[in-house]
């Protein structure tokens, strides 16, 4: 159990939910967050290297994601649609929303 989270995580291979949530399909890099640890250039190099090492495992690079917290009644408690490849909800924001203590990333260096 990672960080005390005991809920379920789902994937959407057919992209039905992806489309229903209005998630973006773009190569935009807008939205680099404060938790981003690398420059865009080094991010592209790392991503390219990972793709070469893991051929066949890479998805569609234009498919942007998001973060959603949905309760057992189907109510969306939190939702964020990524505007680009670097626009992600901060991990501590998500942890806060589900009642888990934040992570001190500076202490983990």
């Amino acid at each position: 159990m990672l960080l005390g989270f005991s809920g379920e995580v789902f994937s959407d291979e057919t992209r039905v939910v992806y489309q229903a949530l209005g998630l973006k399909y773009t190569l935009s890099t807008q939205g680099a967050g404060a938790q981003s640890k690398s420059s865009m250039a080094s991010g592209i190099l790392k991503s390219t290297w990972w793709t070469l090492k893991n051929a066949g495992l890479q998805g569609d690079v234009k498919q942007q994601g998001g973060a959603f917290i949905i309760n057992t009644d189907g109510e969306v408690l939190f939702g964020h649609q990524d505007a680009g490849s670097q626009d992600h909800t901060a991990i501590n924001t998500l942890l806060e929303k589900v009642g888990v203590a934040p992570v001190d990333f500076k202490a983990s260096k």
Side-chain angles (χ1 to χ4, degrees):
M1 180 170 25
L2 180 63
L3 300 174
F5 177 71
S6 61
E8 296 179 80
V9 177
F10 300 92
S11 68
D12 181 24
E13 293 180 33
T14 61
R15 294 182 18 175
V16 171
V17 176
Y18 175 87
Q19 292 165 356
L21 292 171
L23 296 172
K24 310 283 189 273
Y25 190 75
T26 180
L27 283 177
S28 172
T29 57
Q30 80 181 57
Q35 69 189 26
S36 182
K37 293 183 178 182
S38 63
S39 70
M40 188 163 101
S42 71
I44 290 170
L45 290 172
K46 287 177 186 176
S47 178
T48 301
W49 178 248
W50 185 93
T51 301
L52 291 172
K53 286 186 350 184
N54 299 285
L57 298 177
Q58 177 69 36
D60 187 338
V61 296
K62 290 184 180 179
Q63 182 176 333
Q64 303 305 315
F68 298 88
I69 299 171
I70 303 169
N71 70 13
T72 56
D73 296 325
E75 177 186 5
V76 177
L77 303 177
F78 176 83
H80 172 80
Q81 299 167 323
D82 295 348
S85 63
Q86 296 182 18
D87 178 34
H88 305 295
T89 302
I91 293 167
N92 282 331
T93 298
L94 295 171
L95 293 175
E96 175 189 320
K97 299 289 183 185
V98 296
V100 175
V103 174
D104 182 0
F105 292 100
K106 292 177 184 169
S108 64
K109 285 186 178 182

